[in-house]
């Protein structure tokens, strides 16, 4: 009765929608690294495209390799990150992975229309993921996070439209543009990777 009383959507509407949704709460109390494993599964399940946005891109080694493997399988893998930081060290750390993922075929984009804080993943035309988890070690292993996974083509198409609009406001990152970054960013990026488990 309590579940019905405090449910924000009437149960009959929830049932009528017929959209499968999975809520994935994760955190340091998990027996297994549930957030990291869930992201790896979603990335590995992609057949045509895997687009994701994250304000902080400091993945653990397993997630990093799964992203690279997806691109090497021919999946259109795109990662959108902010062009401007709110936490400078974490932002710089993201560039420590740029050359590595691009060599595998992952496309990295810098969002230039303000600071981008959304955490979204699109898997093919079937699955949309929205939540609080960043692609960084803190979210994957240390923080309490909530992720909603929606298995619905309509939702996925709306997410794709949103991301296509975001991509128009992005600049694709490459090593030539990185060479024009301030010297301290170029030199600190590899060093910050040593701090990745804490970022």
């Amino acid at each position: 009765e309590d579940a019905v009383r405090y449910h924000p959507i009437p149960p009959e509407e929830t049932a009528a929608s017929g959209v499968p949704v999975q809520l994935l709460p994760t955190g340091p109390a998990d027996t297994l690294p549930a957030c990291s494993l869930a992201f790896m599964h979603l990335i590995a399940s992609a057949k045509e495209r895997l687009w994701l946005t994250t304000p902080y891109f400091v993945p653990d080694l397993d997630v990093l390799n799964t992203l690279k493997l997806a691109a090497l399988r021919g999946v259109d893998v795109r990662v959108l990150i902010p062009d401007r930081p709110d936490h400078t060290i974490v932002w710089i750390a993201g560039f420590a992975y740029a050359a590595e993922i691009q060599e595998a075929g992952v496309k990295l984009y810098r969002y230039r229309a303000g600071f981008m804080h959304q955490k979204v993943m699109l898997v093919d035309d079937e699955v949309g993921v929205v939540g609080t988890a960043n692609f960084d070690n803190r979210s994957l292993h240390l923080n309490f996070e909530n992720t909603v996974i929606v298995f619905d083509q309509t939702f996925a198409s709306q997410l794709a439209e949103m991301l296509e609009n975001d991509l128009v406001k992005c600049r694709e990152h490459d090593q030539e543009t990185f060479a024009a970054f301030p010297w301290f960013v170029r030199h600190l990026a590899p060093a910050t990777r040593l701090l990745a488990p804490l970022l």
Side-chain angles (χ1 to χ4, degrees), residues 20-26 35 38-39 42 50-55 117-123 126-135 145-152 154-160 162-163 166:
V21 175
Q22 181 178 5
L23 177 62
L24 181 69
T26 57
C35 189
F39 282 9
L42 289 162
L50 188 287
W51 293 0
L52 68 91
T53 69
T54 179
H117 202 260
Q118 63 192 19
K119 297 96 169 174
V120 169
M121 191 188 311
L122 174 66
V123 183
E126 310 290 334
V127 181
V129 182
V130 179
T132 64
N134 302 297
F135 263 70
E145 307 286 1
N146 270 309
T147 302
V148 178
I149 307 172
V150 183
F151 303 88
D152 179 64
T154 300
F155 181 76
S157 68
Q158 293 170 344
L159 211 55
M162 181 192 77
L163 293 174
D166 288 341

Side-chain angles (χ1 to χ4, degrees), residues 26-45:
T26 57
D30 296 340
T31 305
L32 296 171
C35 189
S36 181
L37 290 173
F39 282 9
M40 288 167 59
H41 173 73
L42 289 162
I43 296 165
S45 69

Side-chain angles (χ1 to χ4, degrees), residues 122-189:
L122 174 66
V123 183
D124 297 329
D125 298 322
E126 310 290 334
V127 181
V129 182
V130 179
T132 64
N134 302 297
F135 263 70
D136 63 9
N137 282 268
R138 296 197 66 85
S139 284
L140 295 174
H141 299 285
L142 301 176
N143 292 348
F144 290 98
E145 307 286 1
N146 270 309
T147 302
V148 178
I149 307 172
V150 183
F151 303 88
D152 179 64
Q153 290 184 344
T154 300
F155 181 76
S157 68
Q158 293 170 344
L159 211 55
E161 183 179 355
M162 181 192 77
L163 293 174
E164 286 165 359
N165 290 332
D166 288 341
L167 282 164
V168 173
K169 302 168 186 174
C170 289
R171 175 177 181 177
E172 187 168 0
H173 181 80
D174 56 35
Q175 292 310 298
E176 289 185 7
T177 58
F178 186 60
F181 273 34
W183 67 269
F184 67 90
V185 175
R186 289 182 282 109
H187 287 83
L188 275 178

Side-chain angles (χ1 to χ4, degrees), residues 5-19:
R5 185 180 304 143
Y6 296 109
H7 199 291
I9 302 174
E12 62 272 13
E13 292 185 23
T14 304
S17 69
V19 176

